PDB file of all heavy atoms in Angstrom:
ATOM      1  N   ALA C  50       5.863 -22.447  18.890  1.00 92.00           N
ATOM      2  CA  ALA C  50       6.997 -22.355  19.808  1.00 92.00           C
ATOM      3  C   ALA C  50       7.485 -20.901  19.874  1.00 92.00           C
ATOM      4  O   ALA C  50       7.192 -20.096  18.985  1.00 92.00           O
ATOM      5  CB  ALA C  50       8.120 -23.265  19.320  1.00 92.00           C
ATOM      6  N   GLU C  51       8.238 -20.574  20.914  1.00 92.00           N
ATOM      7  CA  GLU C  51       8.740 -19.206  21.095  1.00 92.00           C
ATOM      8  C   GLU C  51       9.556 -18.724  19.893  1.00 92.00           C
ATOM      9  O   GLU C  51       9.432 -17.570  19.495  1.00 92.00           O
ATOM     10  CB  GLU C  51       9.593 -19.121  22.369  1.00 92.00           C
ATOM     11  CG  GLU C  51       8.793 -19.246  23.652  1.00 92.00           C
ATOM     12  CD  GLU C  51       7.785 -18.119  23.848  1.00 92.00           C
ATOM     13  OE1 GLU C  51       8.124 -16.948  23.549  1.00 92.00           O
ATOM     14  OE2 GLU C  51       6.662 -18.406  24.278  1.00 92.00           O
ATOM     15  N   ASP C  52      10.379 -19.587  19.314  1.00 93.00           N
ATOM     16  CA  ASP C  52      11.179 -19.174  18.165  1.00 93.00           C
ATOM     17  C   ASP C  52      10.301 -18.892  16.943  1.00 93.00           C
ATOM     18  O   ASP C  52      10.595 -18.000  16.148  1.00 93.00           O
ATOM     19  CB  ASP C  52      12.269 -20.193  17.836  1.00 93.00           C
ATOM     20  CG  ASP C  52      11.717 -21.548  17.431  1.00 93.00           C
ATOM     21  OD1 ASP C  52      10.719 -21.993  18.021  1.00 93.00           O
ATOM     22  OD2 ASP C  52      12.308 -22.166  16.520  1.00 93.00           O
ATOM     23  N   GLN C  53       9.201 -19.620  16.804  1.00 92.00           N
ATOM     24  CA  GLN C  53       8.270 -19.359  15.699  1.00 92.00           C
ATOM     25  C   GLN C  53       7.556 -18.020  15.912  1.00 92.00           C
ATOM     26  O   GLN C  53       7.344 -17.273  14.952  1.00 92.00           O
ATOM     27  CB  GLN C  53       7.244 -20.489  15.589  1.00 92.00           C
ATOM     28  CG  GLN C  53       7.845 -21.798  15.149  1.00 92.00           C
ATOM     29  CD  GLN C  53       6.843 -22.931  15.232  1.00 92.00           C
ATOM     30  OE1 GLN C  53       6.092 -23.040  16.206  1.00 92.00           O
ATOM     31  NE2 GLN C  53       6.835 -23.788  14.218  1.00 92.00           N
ATOM     32  N   ILE C  54       7.202 -17.720  17.149  1.00 91.00           N
ATOM     33  CA  ILE C  54       6.563 -16.438  17.457  1.00 91.00           C
ATOM     34  C   ILE C  54       7.542 -15.298  17.204  1.00 91.00           C
ATOM     35  O   ILE C  54       7.181 -14.270  16.633  1.00 91.00           O
ATOM     36  CB  ILE C  54       6.031 -16.418  18.903  1.00 91.00           C
ATOM     37  CG1 ILE C  54       4.884 -17.422  19.038  1.00 91.00           C
ATOM     38  CG2 ILE C  54       5.589 -15.019  19.306  1.00 91.00           C
ATOM     39  CD1 ILE C  54       4.417 -17.651  20.457  1.00 91.00           C
ATOM     40  N   ALA C  55       8.797 -15.466  17.579  1.00 93.00           N
ATOM     41  CA  ALA C  55       9.817 -14.447  17.331  1.00 93.00           C
ATOM     42  C   ALA C  55       9.977 -14.198  15.831  1.00 93.00           C
ATOM     43  O   ALA C  55      10.093 -13.047  15.388  1.00 93.00           O
ATOM     44  CB  ALA C  55      11.142 -14.866  17.950  1.00 93.00           C
ATOM     45  N   THR C  56       9.956 -15.258  15.043  1.00 92.00           N
ATOM     46  CA  THR C  56      10.044 -15.129  13.584  1.00 92.00           C
ATOM     47  C   THR C  56       8.833 -14.384  13.038  1.00 92.00           C
ATOM     48  O   THR C  56       8.963 -13.502  12.182  1.00 92.00           O
ATOM     49  CB  THR C  56      10.158 -16.515  12.919  1.00 92.00           C
ATOM     50  OG1 THR C  56      11.345 -17.145  13.383  1.00 92.00           O
ATOM     51  CG2 THR C  56      10.181 -16.407  11.400  1.00 92.00           C
ATOM     52  N   LEU C  57       7.653 -14.706  13.535  1.00 88.00           N
ATOM     53  CA  LEU C  57       6.429 -14.029  13.105  1.00 88.00           C
ATOM     54  C   LEU C  57       6.513 -12.529  13.395  1.00 88.00           C
ATOM     55  O   LEU C  57       6.171 -11.702  12.549  1.00 88.00           O
ATOM     56  CB  LEU C  57       5.209 -14.638  13.794  1.00 88.00           C
ATOM     57  CG  LEU C  57       3.875 -13.958  13.523  1.00 88.00           C
ATOM     58  CD1 LEU C  57       3.501 -14.064  12.055  1.00 88.00           C
ATOM     59  CD2 LEU C  57       2.792 -14.556  14.404  1.00 88.00           C
ATOM     60  N   ILE C  58       6.997 -12.160  14.573  1.00 91.00           N
ATOM     61  CA  ILE C  58       7.114 -10.748  14.941  1.00 91.00           C
ATOM     62  C   ILE C  58       8.119 -10.045  14.029  1.00 91.00           C
ATOM     63  O   ILE C  58       7.861  -8.945  13.530  1.00 91.00           O
ATOM     64  CB  ILE C  58       7.478 -10.601  16.427  1.00 91.00           C
ATOM     65  CG1 ILE C  58       6.291 -11.037  17.279  1.00 91.00           C
ATOM     66  CG2 ILE C  58       7.890  -9.166  16.756  1.00 91.00           C
ATOM     67  CD1 ILE C  58       6.577 -11.148  18.752  1.00 91.00           C
ATOM     68  N   THR C  59       9.250 -10.681  13.783  1.00 94.00           N
ATOM     69  CA  THR C  59      10.261 -10.100  12.900  1.00 94.00           C
ATOM     70  C   THR C  59       9.708  -9.860  11.501  1.00 94.00           C
ATOM     71  O   THR C  59       9.890  -8.780  10.921  1.00 94.00           O
ATOM     72  CB  THR C  59      11.498 -11.014  12.823  1.00 94.00           C
ATOM     73  OG1 THR C  59      12.054 -11.143  14.130  1.00 94.00           O
ATOM     74  CG2 THR C  59      12.540 -10.461  11.868  1.00 94.00           C
ATOM     75  N   LEU C  60       9.020 -10.848  10.953  1.00 92.00           N
ATOM     76  CA  LEU C  60       8.446 -10.709   9.611  1.00 92.00           C
ATOM     77  C   LEU C  60       7.356  -9.642   9.580  1.00 92.00           C
ATOM     78  O   LEU C  60       7.242  -8.885   8.613  1.00 92.00           O
ATOM     79  CB  LEU C  60       7.889 -12.053   9.140  1.00 92.00           C
ATOM     80  CG  LEU C  60       8.920 -13.151   8.886  1.00 92.00           C
ATOM     81  CD1 LEU C  60       8.221 -14.479   8.600  1.00 92.00           C
ATOM     82  CD2 LEU C  60       9.864 -12.763   7.762  1.00 92.00           C
ATOM     83  N   THR C  61       6.571  -9.560  10.639  1.00 89.00           N
ATOM     84  CA  THR C  61       5.502  -8.560  10.717  1.00 89.00           C
ATOM     85  C   THR C  61       6.087  -7.158  10.794  1.00 89.00           C
ATOM     86  O   THR C  61       5.639  -6.246  10.092  1.00 89.00           O
ATOM     87  CB  THR C  61       4.593  -8.834  11.926  1.00 89.00           C
ATOM     88  OG1 THR C  61       4.033 -10.137  11.797  1.00 89.00           O
ATOM     89  CG2 THR C  61       3.480  -7.805  12.030  1.00 89.00           C
ATOM     90  N   GLU C  62       7.098  -6.973  11.637  1.00 92.00           N
ATOM     91  CA  GLU C  62       7.739  -5.655  11.748  1.00 92.00           C
ATOM     92  C   GLU C  62       8.337  -5.229  10.408  1.00 92.00           C
ATOM     93  O   GLU C  62       8.242  -4.066  10.028  1.00 92.00           O
ATOM     94  CB  GLU C  62       8.836  -5.687  12.807  1.00 92.00           C
ATOM     95  CG  GLU C  62       8.315  -5.743  14.214  1.00 92.00           C
ATOM     96  CD  GLU C  62       9.419  -5.899  15.247  1.00 92.00           C
ATOM     97  OE1 GLU C  62      10.575  -6.217  14.877  1.00 92.00           O
ATOM     98  OE2 GLU C  62       9.121  -5.716  16.440  1.00 92.00           O
ATOM     99  N   ARG C  63       8.940  -6.147   9.703  1.00 94.00           N
ATOM    100  CA  ARG C  63       9.577  -5.840   8.425  1.00 94.00           C
ATOM    101  C   ARG C  63       8.556  -5.419   7.365  1.00 94.00           C
ATOM    102  O   ARG C  63       8.834  -4.575   6.518  1.00 94.00           O
ATOM    103  CB  ARG C  63      10.360  -7.046   7.934  1.00 94.00           C
ATOM    104  CG  ARG C  63      11.186  -6.736   6.709  1.00 94.00           C
ATOM    105  CD  ARG C  63      12.044  -7.856   6.203  1.00 94.00           C
ATOM    106  NE  ARG C  63      12.069  -9.032   7.050  1.00 94.00           N
ATOM    107  CZ  ARG C  63      12.443 -10.227   6.668  1.00 94.00           C
ATOM    108  NH1 ARG C  63      12.808 -10.429   5.428  1.00 94.00           N
ATOM    109  NH2 ARG C  63      12.447 -11.243   7.490  1.00 94.00           N
ATOM    110  N   SER C  64       7.359  -6.003   7.362  1.00 93.00           N
ATOM    111  CA  SER C  64       6.404  -5.759   6.280  1.00 93.00           C
ATOM    112  C   SER C  64       5.230  -4.851   6.660  1.00 93.00           C
ATOM    113  O   SER C  64       4.413  -4.531   5.800  1.00 93.00           O
ATOM    114  CB  SER C  64       5.851  -7.095   5.771  1.00 93.00           C
ATOM    115  OG  SER C  64       5.148  -7.760   6.810  1.00 93.00           O
ATOM    116  N   CYS C  65       5.157  -4.408   7.906  1.00 91.00           N
ATOM    117  CA  CYS C  65       4.038  -3.555   8.343  1.00 91.00           C
ATOM    118  C   CYS C  65       4.305  -2.103   7.951  1.00 91.00           C
ATOM    119  O   CYS C  65       5.252  -1.472   8.435  1.00 91.00           O
ATOM    120  CB  CYS C  65       3.849  -3.670   9.848  1.00 91.00           C
ATOM    121  SG  CYS C  65       2.533  -2.607  10.473  1.00 91.00           S
ATOM    122  N   VAL C  66       3.462  -1.556   7.099  1.00 92.00           N
ATOM    123  CA  VAL C  66       3.635  -0.198   6.598  1.00 92.00           C
ATOM    124  C   VAL C  66       3.572   0.827   7.731  1.00 92.00           C
ATOM    125  O   VAL C  66       4.404   1.745   7.801  1.00 92.00           O
ATOM    126  CB  VAL C  66       2.570   0.117   5.519  1.00 92.00           C
ATOM    127  CG1 VAL C  66       2.645   1.567   5.095  1.00 92.00           C
ATOM    128  CG2 VAL C  66       2.729  -0.809   4.328  1.00 92.00           C
ATOM    129  N   VAL C  67       2.624   0.697   8.630  1.00 89.00           N
ATOM    130  CA  VAL C  67       2.484   1.656   9.734  1.00 89.00           C
ATOM    131  C   VAL C  67       3.698   1.582  10.660  1.00 89.00           C
ATOM    132  O   VAL C  67       4.286   2.608  11.020  1.00 89.00           O
ATOM    133  CB  VAL C  67       1.174   1.424  10.519  1.00 89.00           C
ATOM    134  CG1 VAL C  67       1.104   2.315  11.742  1.00 89.00           C
ATOM    135  CG2 VAL C  67      -0.032   1.644   9.614  1.00 89.00           C
ATOM    136  N   TYR C  68       4.107   0.372  11.030  1.00 91.00           N
ATOM    137  CA  TYR C  68       5.262   0.204  11.912  1.00 91.00           C
ATOM    138  C   TYR C  68       6.512   0.815  11.276  1.00 91.00           C
ATOM    139  O   TYR C  68       7.235   1.592  11.916  1.00 91.00           O
ATOM    140  CB  TYR C  68       5.481  -1.287  12.192  1.00 91.00           C
ATOM    141  CG  TYR C  68       6.676  -1.561  13.068  1.00 91.00           C
ATOM    142  CD1 TYR C  68       6.567  -1.534  14.454  1.00 91.00           C
ATOM    143  CD2 TYR C  68       7.918  -1.844  12.513  1.00 91.00           C
ATOM    144  CE1 TYR C  68       7.665  -1.781  15.254  1.00 91.00           C
ATOM    145  CE2 TYR C  68       9.016  -2.092  13.311  1.00 91.00           C
ATOM    146  CZ  TYR C  68       8.892  -2.059  14.678  1.00 91.00           C
ATOM    147  OH  TYR C  68       9.981  -2.300  15.468  1.00 91.00           O
ATOM    148  N   GLN C  69       6.776   0.492  10.030  1.00 94.00           N
ATOM    149  CA  GLN C  69       7.968   1.000   9.358  1.00 94.00           C
ATOM    150  C   GLN C  69       7.928   2.522   9.200  1.00 94.00           C
ATOM    151  O   GLN C  69       8.957   3.190   9.318  1.00 94.00           O
ATOM    152  CB  GLN C  69       8.152   0.324   7.995  1.00 94.00           C
ATOM    153  CG  GLN C  69       8.615  -1.105   8.095  1.00 94.00           C
ATOM    154  CD  GLN C  69       9.969  -1.223   8.763  1.00 94.00           C
ATOM    155  OE1 GLN C  69      10.858  -0.397   8.583  1.00 94.00           O
ATOM    156  NE2 GLN C  69      10.130  -2.267   9.562  1.00 94.00           N
ATOM    157  N   THR C  70       6.757   3.084   8.947  1.00 93.00           N
ATOM    158  CA  THR C  70       6.628   4.537   8.834  1.00 93.00           C
ATOM    159  C   THR C  70       6.973   5.211  10.157  1.00 93.00           C
ATOM    160  O   THR C  70       7.710   6.199  10.196  1.00 93.00           O
ATOM    161  CB  THR C  70       5.205   4.925   8.393  1.00 93.00           C
ATOM    162  OG1 THR C  70       4.937   4.326   7.130  1.00 93.00           O
ATOM    163  CG2 THR C  70       5.048   6.432   8.288  1.00 93.00           C
ATOM    164  N   LEU C  71       6.467   4.670  11.261  1.00 91.00           N
ATOM    165  CA  LEU C  71       6.750   5.243  12.574  1.00 91.00           C
ATOM    166  C   LEU C  71       8.219   5.092  12.959  1.00 91.00           C
ATOM    167  O   LEU C  71       8.839   6.019  13.476  1.00 91.00           O
ATOM    168  CB  LEU C  71       5.865   4.595  13.638  1.00 91.00           C
ATOM    169  CG  LEU C  71       4.381   4.922  13.549  1.00 91.00           C
ATOM    170  CD1 LEU C  71       3.584   4.050  14.501  1.00 91.00           C
ATOM    171  CD2 LEU C  71       4.144   6.399  13.847  1.00 91.00           C
ATOM    172  N   VAL C  72       8.794   3.940  12.707  1.00 93.00           N
ATOM    173  CA  VAL C  72      10.184   3.672  13.083  1.00 93.00           C
ATOM    174  C   VAL C  72      11.158   4.497  12.245  1.00 93.00           C
ATOM    175  O   VAL C  72      12.120   5.053  12.767  1.00 93.00           O
ATOM    176  CB  VAL C  72      10.491   2.158  12.952  1.00 93.00           C
ATOM    177  CG1 VAL C  72      11.969   1.884  13.066  1.00 93.00           C
ATOM    178  CG2 VAL C  72       9.734   1.377  14.012  1.00 93.00           C
ATOM    179  N   GLN C  73      10.906   4.601  10.948  1.00 94.00           N
ATOM    180  CA  GLN C  73      11.851   5.266  10.059  1.00 94.00           C
ATOM    181  C   GLN C  73      11.666   6.784   9.984  1.00 94.00           C
ATOM    182  O   GLN C  73      12.585   7.487   9.576  1.00 94.00           O
ATOM    183  CB  GLN C  73      11.753   4.671   8.649  1.00 94.00           C
ATOM    184  CG  GLN C  73      12.220   3.244   8.607  1.00 94.00           C
ATOM    185  CD  GLN C  73      12.136   2.666   7.220  1.00 94.00           C
ATOM    186  OE1 GLN C  73      12.113   3.391   6.232  1.00 94.00           O
ATOM    187  NE2 GLN C  73      12.088   1.354   7.131  1.00 94.00           N
TER     188      GLN C  73
END
Side-chain angles (χ1 to χ4, degrees):
E51 290 297 319
D52 63 321
Q53 292 172 317
I54 293 171
T56 299
L57 175 64
I58 291 171
T59 299
L60 293 173
T61 301
E62 287 175 347
R63 187 177 354 161
S64 62
C65 178
V66 174
V67 174
Y68 179 86
Q69 287 298 323
T70 300
L71 291 171
V72 169
Q73 293 181 22

